[in-house]
Structure formats: structure tokens, C-alpha cells
Amino acid sequence: YGKFDALRQRQPVAVLCQALDAYCEALAADTDGQSLALCAAIASALNVGGLEVLRGLMPSLSKIVPDDDSTNNQALAVQRQTDGALSQLFYYLSLFLRAIATPVTPV
């Protein structure tokens, strides 16, 4: 654990999610081919579970990856409350970052 994780403070994760939410907002406003390719990369990198977990923290993600299946929301809400929720969150955040950080579009 890092110095914030040992104390279980949410502030560093919240700041990261706010920044990525703003990035999603900017992607939604930009309609060039590169932005559309990034949106497609995000959609393919994250499964339905990952999208739902991250949408809870980054609402603008819904603007770039439409919600196709809302039936899993209750099951995912229970899944988020498990002991591994923080690990799961970091896993999905890493998939998101890998999707947007390419040699052509470094972040």
C-alpha cells in the first residue's frame, strides 16, 4: 500500500477519477477520428463490469461509451462492496489508462 492506501483515504483516488472524468468530457466534446478511436478502444478494453464500476466514479464515461446493459447494476453494486473492491477499481482504471495511452496519443 502507498501512504494514502494504508490509511484508507479516498482523496487520491477521487482526484484521479475527477481528472479522468474531465478527460472523458473532453473526448465527448471532440468528434474527430482520433477521439472516436479512443472511445472505441476504451469500450473494447473494459467489459460491462468495468464500465459500470468506472461510470460510478466517472459519469462522463457514459457520454463516450453508451450504456447498453443496465441489468447488471444491482449485482455490480453488491460486487463493489466486497473486500477486493479497491483492487478491482485499480484494475479497471489500469485498463482504462492502457486504452487511452498509446504511442500516437500519449497521456
Side-chain angles (χ1 to χ4, degrees):
Y1 289 106
K3 66 179 181 179
F4 294 106
D5 293 339
L7 300 174
R8 299 226 180 255
Q9 295 179 2
R10 296 181 184 196
Q11 185 63 28
V13 175
V15 171
L16 176 64
C17 291
Q18 288 173 352
L20 293 174
D21 188 52
Y23 182 77
C24 290
E25 185 73 35
L27 276 179
D30 198 4
T31 58
D32 68 356
Q34 189 174 18
S35 295
L36 295 175
L38 281 172
C39 295
I42 291 167
S44 67
L46 299 171
N47 58 23
V48 173
L51 288 170
E52 289 303 319
V53 168
L54 293 183
R55 278 187 185 122
L57 299 168
M58 302 182 318
S60 296
L61 184 58
S62 294
K63 295 179 180 180
I64 61 172
V65 181
D67 188 9
D68 292 331
D69 183 17
S70 61
T71 59
N72 294 327
N73 288 343
Q74 290 178 345
L76 289 169
V78 171
Q79 185 180 8
R80 281 186 219 131
Q81 296 172 3
T82 64
D83 291 336
L86 190 60
S87 297
Q88 182 182 20
L89 170 64
F90 286 132
Y91 170 72
Y92 289 129
L93 283 173
S94 69
L95 290 179
F96 180 88
L97 291 172
R98 286 180 192 161
I100 64 172
T102 65
V104 176
T105 58
V107 176

